[in-house]
Structures are given as structure tokens and as C-alpha cells.
Amino acid sequence: DTWVTLARIAEKTKRLKFGPAVLIPSNRHPMAQASAIATLEQIAPGRLMVGFGTGFTGRAGMGKKPLTLASMRTHIVQVRALLRGDVADIDGGLAQILASGGWLPDRPIDVPIYMAGQGPKARALAKEIADDLISLGGPAEGFAACLVSTNGTVLDDGEDVTSPRASTALKPLVALAYHHRYTTDPESVKALPNGDAWLASVERVDEHIRHLSVHRGHNLDISNGHDALVDVSAAKQMTFTGTREELRERLARLEAGGATGVIFG
């Protein structure tokens, strides 16, 4: 669980800043979300950052499409209102953080709120209701802070992406592209290396539980069986992978383009 894990991080560290990237609004009631944020701020004052997103595997893994930007707006606005100490109308009921003095930080609780967004509408919404942006793959200008979320591994000099170590690290990360294409346009998976075999493997699973199979092990391992077929030969182009010197150069380019930080998996 996100908040249990973050609480353990908060208690085991003293200076590290940390946070979820990203929370999916449909997975928690705004009151539970605001209460968790307030609790972490009480445990580790000034160290929590919070990111929100419309949901990729967090929803596709349950057979759902990503949330609309309208529902994203509603959730973030409600959570921010609660953290300010305001009364918020949530589903026709009035809600407010009611904790007695000393149990949670005094309101307003000012925790940086980030929103993940790729398209122009999502980024316009992030500018309107969030403090800053989480971007996938590349930076965006116009934000005081832009955290680029990416995945990869550091290669030793002379090490190829197909080495046993690198391949083990990279297969779950390269597989993200297969998972994402499958959730948006399954036929487009065939354009990826070995995509025909990957898609054929998925389509052998009963259709009504296919999404459960695709997203098993997402971003972590290849336990679903299909991802063992992923071809990592293009990993340098598909992930944030390279030698130390190559990654330093890529980081410099991200910074020059407006990135202020990297979320690296």
C-alpha cells in the first residue's frame, strides 16, 4: 500500500524528501487521501511531495480506462480544500478535516501537489490546479518544477543492453511500452520488436481476464509470462539507459529543456 510504505520511509529517514508518483483519484476517497497526506506531514514535516495521475496500470489492471481530466480536477480541488481546512462538498455531503489539536498539522497544510500530464489539456489543467508537473519521457517548459518520470538502468562501460544483468533489469521496463500500447490500441503492439509474438501470447488468455494477465508484474518483473518475449535490443531508445557518461549527457539535455528533477525507476 502506498501510504503504509511512505509512512515507513518517513519514519526511517530524517532529511529525504519523498512522495507518491502518482496517486489515482478513483482509488481513494478525497477525505481518506487528505487524511493520509496530513498524517505523513505530521510524521515528516516539510518532506512530503504528492503526485496525481489519471491512471495507467492502476486502472487498466482492473479493466478500467484512465480517468477523465474533469474527475481529476474534482478530486485535486477537493483534496486541496480539505488540506486548507475548508469545508468541501463531496458527493453531496459536506466534509472537513476534524482532527483535534496536536493530532494533525494545523490547517492550512501546504504540501506540494504535482500532476502528471502529457497533452496540452492535461498540462493546462496542471498549471491551473497543481503546483507543478510530472512529465513522462521529456520535460515541459512553463512550470517552476517539472519532474521527468522515466525508467532504465546504468550500463558499465562496454556492457550491452542484452547482457544477462542488463536484460533482467530492462525487460520489465521495456515491457511498459507493450502494456501501454495494448491498453490503447492492441494491434499497435505489432510495431514493437517481437510484438507479434507478445500479442499472440496475450491473446491466448481468456479475453475477460486478459487485462489481469497483461499487467501482472508491471514495472517490476516478467512474471506474467508474456514479457519474457520482450526484445530489449532498443532499450537505449525506449528507456533511460546508457553508460554513466551517456546518462550524464541525457540529464543535461533534460535540464536544458526545462526539467528540474527526475523520477527514476
Side-chain angles (χ1 to χ4, degrees), residues 36 50 86 90 96 134-135 151 176 181 191 213 218:
V50 175
D86 297 346
I90 303 175
Q96 188 178 32
I134 294 173
S135 175
N151 301 276
L176 296 177
R181 287 202 178 201
S213 179
H218 175 84

Side-chain angles (χ1 to χ4, degrees), residues 102-148:
W103 287 96
L104 290 176
D106 292 336
R107 272 68 74 197
I109 298 169
D110 187 22
V111 171
I113 301 290
Y114 289 76
M115 184 182 136
Q118 290 303 100
K121 290 183 179 179
R123 290 183 173 178
L125 181 61
K127 281 189 177 181
E128 180 187 346
I129 65 171
D131 295 311
D132 286 300
L133 180 74
I134 294 173
S135 175
L136 300 179
E141 296 181 344
F143 291 87
C146 173
L147 303 181
V148 174

Side-chain angles (χ1 to χ4, degrees), residues 36 62 74 76 79 89 108 114 116 123 127 130 143 152 156 163 166 175 177-178 209 215 226 263:
M62 297 187 291
T74 297
I76 293 178
V79 169
D89 187 333
Y114 289 76
R123 290 183 173 178
K127 281 189 177 181
F143 291 87
D156 291 326
S163 75
Y178 294 68
I209 58 168
H215 296 279
H226 322 300
I263 302 170

Side-chain angles (χ1 to χ4, degrees), residues 177-199:
Y178 294 68
H179 297 187
H180 186 263
R181 287 202 178 201
Y182 180 79
T183 62
T184 54
D185 178 15
E187 284 297 306
S188 70
V189 176
K190 294 179 180 179
L192 296 172
N194 210 32
D196 286 288
W198 187 94
L199 185 59

Side-chain angles (χ1 to χ4, degrees), residues 210-229:
R210 202 170 283 169
H211 63 283
L212 302 178
S213 179
V214 168
H215 296 279
R216 188 180 308 280
H218 175 84
N219 206 31
L220 183 66
D221 57 43
I222 56 172
S223 57
N224 65 19
H226 322 300
D227 291 345
L229 299 169

